[in-house]
Amino acid sequence: MSPFRGTNGIAFGPDGRLHVAEYLSGRISALDLATGEIEVIVPIGGVVQSPDDLAFGADGSMYIADLAPGRVWRRDPLGEHTLVSDEVKAPNGITCVGDRLFVNEMRPGGRLFELFPDGGEPVVLAADLAIGNAMQAGPDGHLYYPHMLTGEVHRISPDGGTPELVADGLHSPVAVRFDREGTLLILSAGVEGEITRISPTGQRQVLTTGVFGLDNVAVDDDNRVYVSSFAGGGIAELHPDGRIRQIVPQGLVGPYGVAVDPGGVVHAADHYRVAGDQAVSFTHGVAADRDRLHTTSQYGEVRTDGKVRVKELRCPLGIAVRDDGVLVVAETGAGRIIAIDADDTVTALADGFHEPVDVAFDAGQRCYVSDEQGVHRVDGGRPVPIVEGLAAPQGLAVRDDELFVVEAGRRRVLAIDLTTGAIRTEAEDLALSPLETVPRALIVHGMPGCPRGFAGLAVAPDGALHVSGDGAVLRLPRFRSPI
């Protein structure tokens, strides 16, 4: 298990520690590479919501690109936060050149700005970026930045001018950095973990690291290179030949929904993929049906074995398979439950919910739904409350004559007797992700933003419950010894 839920921007601070931004969890930590000690610098739930990249100024201040809300922050050496700008749309790549600050936008048609922490209107240096990302000033003093969509790297003077093409033919370049010898390092997103090295004399070399979802890179004073992964987290040292040394282990960045197939294999929907699968696809709900895997994406899709069945739904989340093979989905954003048949026809089964999160069926094929504050049974296309007054009920699963629900707000799993209605606590004090007090944007200027939290629940063939928690899947055996 990794201490990080995905690793995004990384930069060495004045204290020599590697500072790590976690976009999905909304946290920034400082990692001592010598001891492995990690200190949380910017905690979850503060003014910073989704830090994607960071940089340090000449005075030791940390500047943060807070992508989803569209803000750029300054954290001074005493730990105080001040807003630098809220005029940058989807800020991502951020870098300092002396006491000057530059930020670009992660969106089609994006811009590159100079910002002024002490006041002043932002200055646009370049426009029409085909999705910007991590950037840096080169030895020549120019700013080097990627165009992710077109597979290019450009440069421009910090004082403006006409951008120049530096490199093309790249695969989704997400970060541009220089090592201490002036070699240009270009990271590519994808499963191969490619890094393109361009020497000061123009020689080009492609390294394959095998790190899925490379995100950013930092270079220390001894020219050691470290990389992060948005999809798997962790921190790794990169050797010149492409080998890596994993310093902080990779792990899960969610997870969200969870399912256990008839063979006992656990499948966790981990935002960028289903855990164990190297295919890049946003996943949040998951259901296992014999040898098939069905997933939802909060960005509107339902898939079976990776094939898109339905799209343009409003934040679909929990998913279950009815006995007749029909997929039943909680369409959270639409406040309804839908069915998807073998022909991919969508039918509304029930509406009148606030924000339905998950669905489950009992042996009699009665449908249960978790909603904002309670659990309901679907009766005649409408919700009928069976338990109310819960704090953020999310994942649902049925075992025998009991319905289990993850009450995320109280970090526990409850069991509801479907015959008597009696409620008992199955497990408590679970390691679940903190609930978000401020909803983060799901879509940011046409790009994927931050998904809503979802603690999934599934029953294994041996009766054990599986709960998706804070960077892990927790297994609760059916028969546990008393403490």
Side-chain angles (χ1 to χ4, degrees), residues 130 136 173 192 195 247 318 352 370 446 479:
Q136 188 180 19
E192 295 86 3
I195 297 179
I247 296 172
S370 56
F479 301 107

mmCIF file with all atom_site columns, all heavy atoms in Angstrom, residues 130 136 173 192 195 247 318 352 370 446 479:
data_model
loop_
_atom_site.group_PDB
_atom_site.id
_atom_site.type_symbol
_atom_site.label_atom_id
_atom_site.label_alt_id
_atom_site.label_comp_id
_atom_site.label_asym_id
_atom_site.label_entity_id
_atom_site.label_seq_id
_atom_site.pdbx_PDB_ins_code
_atom_site.Cartn_x
_atom_site.Cartn_y
_atom_site.Cartn_z
_atom_site.occupancy
_atom_site.B_iso_or_equiv
_atom_site.pdbx_formal_charge
_atom_site.auth_seq_id
_atom_site.auth_comp_id
_atom_site.auth_asym_id
_atom_site.auth_atom_id
_atom_site.pdbx_PDB_model_num
ATOM 1  N N   . ALA A 1 130 ? -2.200  23.092  -27.015 1.00 0.00 ? 130 ALA A N   1
ATOM 2  C CA  . ALA A 1 130 ? -3.019  21.891  -27.182 1.00 0.00 ? 130 ALA A CA  1
ATOM 3  C C   . ALA A 1 130 ? -2.873  21.022  -25.935 1.00 0.00 ? 130 ALA A C   1
ATOM 4  O O   . ALA A 1 130 ? -2.318  19.933  -25.971 1.00 0.00 ? 130 ALA A O   1
ATOM 5  C CB  . ALA A 1 130 ? -2.610  21.129  -28.436 1.00 0.00 ? 130 ALA A CB  1
ATOM 6  N N   . GLN A 1 136 ? 9.348   24.057  -17.679 1.00 0.00 ? 136 GLN A N   1
ATOM 7  C CA  . GLN A 1 136 ? 10.522  24.551  -16.971 1.00 0.00 ? 136 GLN A CA  1
ATOM 8  C C   . GLN A 1 136 ? 11.321  25.463  -17.891 1.00 0.00 ? 136 GLN A C   1
ATOM 9  O O   . GLN A 1 136 ? 11.276  25.323  -19.125 1.00 0.00 ? 136 GLN A O   1
ATOM 10 C CB  . GLN A 1 136 ? 11.410  23.397  -16.510 1.00 0.00 ? 136 GLN A CB  1
ATOM 11 C CG  . GLN A 1 136 ? 12.549  23.826  -15.593 1.00 0.00 ? 136 GLN A CG  1
ATOM 12 C CD  . GLN A 1 136 ? 13.413  22.647  -15.158 1.00 0.00 ? 136 GLN A CD  1
ATOM 13 O OE1 . GLN A 1 136 ? 13.399  21.591  -15.774 1.00 0.00 ? 136 GLN A OE1 1
ATOM 14 N NE2 . GLN A 1 136 ? 14.175  22.830  -14.100 1.00 0.00 ? 136 GLN A NE2 1
ATOM 15 N N   . PRO A 1 173 ? 3.023   14.061  -24.356 1.00 0.00 ? 173 PRO A N   1
ATOM 16 C CA  . PRO A 1 173 ? 4.027   14.584  -23.412 1.00 0.00 ? 173 PRO A CA  1
ATOM 17 C C   . PRO A 1 173 ? 3.346   15.321  -22.260 1.00 0.00 ? 173 PRO A C   1
ATOM 18 O O   . PRO A 1 173 ? 2.580   16.246  -22.468 1.00 0.00 ? 173 PRO A O   1
ATOM 19 C CB  . PRO A 1 173 ? 4.858   15.535  -24.281 1.00 0.00 ? 173 PRO A CB  1
ATOM 20 C CG  . PRO A 1 173 ? 3.942   15.931  -25.404 1.00 0.00 ? 173 PRO A CG  1
ATOM 21 C CD  . PRO A 1 173 ? 3.084   14.735  -25.665 1.00 0.00 ? 173 PRO A CD  1
ATOM 22 N N   . GLU A 1 192 ? 3.596   2.422   -21.205 1.00 0.00 ? 192 GLU A N   1
ATOM 23 C CA  . GLU A 1 192 ? 5.001   2.048   -21.367 1.00 0.00 ? 192 GLU A CA  1
ATOM 24 C C   . GLU A 1 192 ? 5.924   2.858   -20.468 1.00 0.00 ? 192 GLU A C   1
ATOM 25 O O   . GLU A 1 192 ? 7.029   2.426   -20.163 1.00 0.00 ? 192 GLU A O   1
ATOM 26 C CB  . GLU A 1 192 ? 5.439   2.225   -22.827 1.00 0.00 ? 192 GLU A CB  1
ATOM 27 C CG  . GLU A 1 192 ? 4.734   1.301   -23.809 1.00 0.00 ? 192 GLU A CG  1
ATOM 28 C CD  . GLU A 1 192 ? 3.410   1.894   -24.274 1.00 0.00 ? 192 GLU A CD  1
ATOM 29 O OE1 . GLU A 1 192 ? 3.087   3.040   -23.860 1.00 0.00 ? 192 GLU A OE1 1
ATOM 30 O OE2 . GLU A 1 192 ? 2.692   1.224   -25.022 1.00 0.00 ? 192 GLU A OE2 1
ATOM 31 N N   . ILE A 1 195 ? 10.225  7.956   -21.609 1.00 0.00 ? 195 ILE A N   1
ATOM 32 C CA  . ILE A 1 195 ? 10.890  9.236   -21.361 1.00 0.00 ? 195 ILE A CA  1
ATOM 33 C C   . ILE A 1 195 ? 11.833  9.491   -22.528 1.00 0.00 ? 195 ILE A C   1
ATOM 34 O O   . ILE A 1 195 ? 12.687  8.664   -22.848 1.00 0.00 ? 195 ILE A O   1
ATOM 35 C CB  . ILE A 1 195 ? 11.668  9.224   -20.040 1.00 0.00 ? 195 ILE A CB  1
ATOM 36 C CG1 . ILE A 1 195 ? 10.705  9.024   -18.864 1.00 0.00 ? 195 ILE A CG1 1
ATOM 37 C CG2 . ILE A 1 195 ? 12.455  10.520  -19.871 1.00 0.00 ? 195 ILE A CG2 1
ATOM 38 C CD1 . ILE A 1 195 ? 11.392  8.972   -17.513 1.00 0.00 ? 195 ILE A CD1 1
ATOM 39 N N   . ILE A 1 247 ? 11.293  4.055   -4.781  1.00 0.00 ? 247 ILE A N   1
ATOM 40 C CA  . ILE A 1 247 ? 11.621  4.550   -3.448  1.00 0.00 ? 247 ILE A CA  1
ATOM 41 C C   . ILE A 1 247 ? 10.382  4.514   -2.561  1.00 0.00 ? 247 ILE A C   1
ATOM 42 O O   . ILE A 1 247 ? 10.423  4.037   -1.423  1.00 0.00 ? 247 ILE A O   1
ATOM 43 C CB  . ILE A 1 247 ? 12.192  5.970   -3.539  1.00 0.00 ? 247 ILE A CB  1
ATOM 44 C CG1 . ILE A 1 247 ? 13.507  5.942   -4.315  1.00 0.00 ? 247 ILE A CG1 1
ATOM 45 C CG2 . ILE A 1 247 ? 12.408  6.573   -2.145  1.00 0.00 ? 247 ILE A CG2 1
ATOM 46 C CD1 . ILE A 1 247 ? 14.058  7.306   -4.628  1.00 0.00 ? 247 ILE A CD1 1
ATOM 47 N N   . GLY A 1 318 ? -22.639 3.536   -9.089  1.00 0.00 ? 318 GLY A N   1
ATOM 48 C CA  . GLY A 1 318 ? -22.773 2.118   -8.771  1.00 0.00 ? 318 GLY A CA  1
ATOM 49 C C   . GLY A 1 318 ? -23.438 1.334   -9.889  1.00 0.00 ? 318 GLY A C   1
ATOM 50 O O   . GLY A 1 318 ? -24.292 1.843   -10.613 1.00 0.00 ? 318 GLY A O   1
ATOM 51 N N   . GLY A 1 352 ? -36.779 9.955   -8.631  1.00 0.00 ? 352 GLY A N   1
ATOM 52 C CA  . GLY A 1 352 ? -37.193 10.549  -7.364  1.00 0.00 ? 352 GLY A CA  1
ATOM 53 C C   . GLY A 1 352 ? -36.113 10.503  -6.302  1.00 0.00 ? 352 GLY A C   1
ATOM 54 O O   . GLY A 1 352 ? -36.371 10.844  -5.147  1.00 0.00 ? 352 GLY A O   1
ATOM 55 N N   . SER A 1 370 ? -28.621 3.131   -2.374  1.00 0.00 ? 370 SER A N   1
ATOM 56 C CA  . SER A 1 370 ? -28.127 4.080   -1.364  1.00 0.00 ? 370 SER A CA  1
ATOM 57 C C   . SER A 1 370 ? -28.255 5.487   -1.935  1.00 0.00 ? 370 SER A C   1
ATOM 58 O O   . SER A 1 370 ? -27.958 5.732   -3.101  1.00 0.00 ? 370 SER A O   1
ATOM 59 C CB  . SER A 1 370 ? -26.668 3.783   -0.989  1.00 0.00 ? 370 SER A CB  1
ATOM 60 O OG  . SER A 1 370 ? -25.828 3.790   -2.127  1.00 0.00 ? 370 SER A OG  1
ATOM 61 N N   . GLY A 1 446 ? -14.100 21.179  -20.163 1.00 0.00 ? 446 GLY A N   1
ATOM 62 C CA  . GLY A 1 446 ? -14.148 20.081  -21.109 1.00 0.00 ? 446 GLY A CA  1
ATOM 63 C C   . GLY A 1 446 ? -13.208 18.938  -20.822 1.00 0.00 ? 446 GLY A C   1
ATOM 64 O O   . GLY A 1 446 ? -13.194 17.936  -21.544 1.00 0.00 ? 446 GLY A O   1
ATOM 65 N N   . PHE A 1 479 ? -16.365 -14.805 9.107   1.00 0.00 ? 479 PHE A N   1
ATOM 66 C CA  . PHE A 1 479 ? -16.291 -15.222 10.502  1.00 0.00 ? 479 PHE A CA  1
ATOM 67 C C   . PHE A 1 479 ? -15.007 -14.685 11.096  1.00 0.00 ? 479 PHE A C   1
ATOM 68 O O   . PHE A 1 479 ? -13.909 -15.097 10.721  1.00 0.00 ? 479 PHE A O   1
ATOM 69 C CB  . PHE A 1 479 ? -16.319 -16.745 10.599  1.00 0.00 ? 479 PHE A CB  1
ATOM 70 C CG  . PHE A 1 479 ? -17.567 -17.349 10.000  1.00 0.00 ? 479 PHE A CG  1
ATOM 71 C CD1 . PHE A 1 479 ? -17.511 -18.018 8.784   1.00 0.00 ? 479 PHE A CD1 1
ATOM 72 C CD2 . PHE A 1 479 ? -18.800 -17.233 10.648  1.00 0.00 ? 479 PHE A CD2 1
ATOM 73 C CE1 . PHE A 1 479 ? -18.644 -18.559 8.229   1.00 0.00 ? 479 PHE A CE1 1
ATOM 74 C CE2 . PHE A 1 479 ? -19.947 -17.769 10.082  1.00 0.00 ? 479 PHE A CE2 1
ATOM 75 C CZ  . PHE A 1 479 ? -19.865 -18.445 8.878   1.00 0.00 ? 479 PHE A CZ  1
#
